[in-house]
Amino acid sequence: MKKDIERVLIDEAVIEHRLDSMAKEIEEDFPAGPIIVIILLKGALVFAADLLRRIPRELSIECLNVASYHGGLESSGTVDFLDRHFPEVKGMHVLLLDDILDTGRTLAAVAQRLKQEGAAAVHTGVLLAKDKKRATDVKADYVGFQIGDEFVVGYGLDYKGKYRNLPYVGILKLSAAT
Ligand code: XMP
């Protein structure tokens, strides 16, 4: 895997340090009471696992399967909900976690659906936000790192299903993106 990485963009120690402060921000912001965390699979899995263990709060966890990239380098422009059942969120404060904010379509579509399903409030958190114009007017409440408009892998993010278990965020070599 390592041989396919052009360079490390954010190393493990820096990620861990930032997760400490993100967890603190979330812990301070959320009102007392139940929180439901919605993790967008599969990209946010690693980020969420490390972040949530830093939040000393009672919370429940649900996962959602949505597809927007279909395995390639470009967003497809549509967001598909792949699960048969949608988690029960009525009246709940939701923390929605995704790996990366790119065009913004995924986060916007899921946040809208959560509101339609009756969530009392939807807060959004991403590990990464690409510095680019979004296709839709959406912002994340908690952003780990702002990055340039480059395709990245590692720490949950993949290219064609690979590299999710790299402990850092890196840029893929062009030769590996075939
Ligand atoms: P949108 O465009 O809806 O995209 O904000 C969010 C989803 O697209 C995937 N994505 C990436 N995956 N490297 C990846 O491995 C990237 O640079 C990248 N940019 C977007 C990701 O699944 C995210 O949830």
Side-chain angles (χ1 to χ4, degrees):
M1 282 197 299
K2 252 171 123 178
K3 67 172 179 17
D4 295 342
I5 303 302
E6 181 73 44
R7 70 190 158 93
V8 174
L9 196 62
I10 312 167
D11 74 26
E12 204 175 351
V14 172
I15 295 173
E16 288 191 349
H17 191 251
R18 178 68 186 114
L19 292 189
D20 287 342
S21 55
M22 271 179 106
K24 230 171 150 203
E25 283 172 46
I26 293 167
E27 168 69 3
E28 283 168 8
D29 284 358
F30 269 76
I35 302 176
I36 180 166
V37 182
I38 308 269
I39 301 169
L40 296 187
L41 297 176
K42 299 169 190 165
L45 206 53
V46 177
F47 161 53
D50 285 349
L51 178 71
L52 297 181
R53 280 179 294 173
R54 289 168 158 81
I55 303 177
R57 198 41 122 94
E58 201 176 304
L59 41 83
S60 56
I61 298 176
E62 296 284 346
C63 296
L64 269 184
N65 264 295
V66 294
S68 60
Y69 252 57
H70 308 295
L73 291 170
E74 295 287 333
S75 172
S76 68
T78 57
V79 177
D80 301 320
F81 288 84
L82 306 178
D83 300 291
R84 275 226 230 144
H85 301 288
F86 200 82
E88 178 59 60
V89 294
K90 215 178 172 106
M92 305 278 290
H93 281 256
V94 178
L95 174 61
L96 171 62
L97 295 179
D98 201 5
D99 50 0
I100 189 165
L101 191 59
D102 186 1
T103 66
R105 288 192 186 101
T106 306
L107 215 57
V110 180
Q112 189 193 19
R113 175 80 189 267
L114 287 164
K115 284 175 199 155
Q116 279 167 5
E117 299 286 333
V122 180
H123 307 251
T124 50
V126 291
L127 175 71
L128 308 168
K130 285 190 188 175
D131 191 8
K132 67 189 277 188
K133 195 169 161 14
R134 313 265 176 249
T136 169
D137 185 23
V138 63
K139 270 199 208 130
D141 299 307
Y142 309 99
V143 175
F145 304 93
Q146 293 281 350
I147 62 167
D149 187 10
E150 294 178 286
F151 191 82
V152 290
V153 295
Y155 204 74
L157 292 117
D158 74 311
Y159 175 64
K160 294 191 173 169
K162 290 201 287 184
Y163 313 109
R164 290 193 197 277
N165 56 323
L166 285 173
Y168 50 80
V169 174
I171 310 280
L172 201 59
K173 280 185 186 159
L174 266 183
S175 58
T178 48

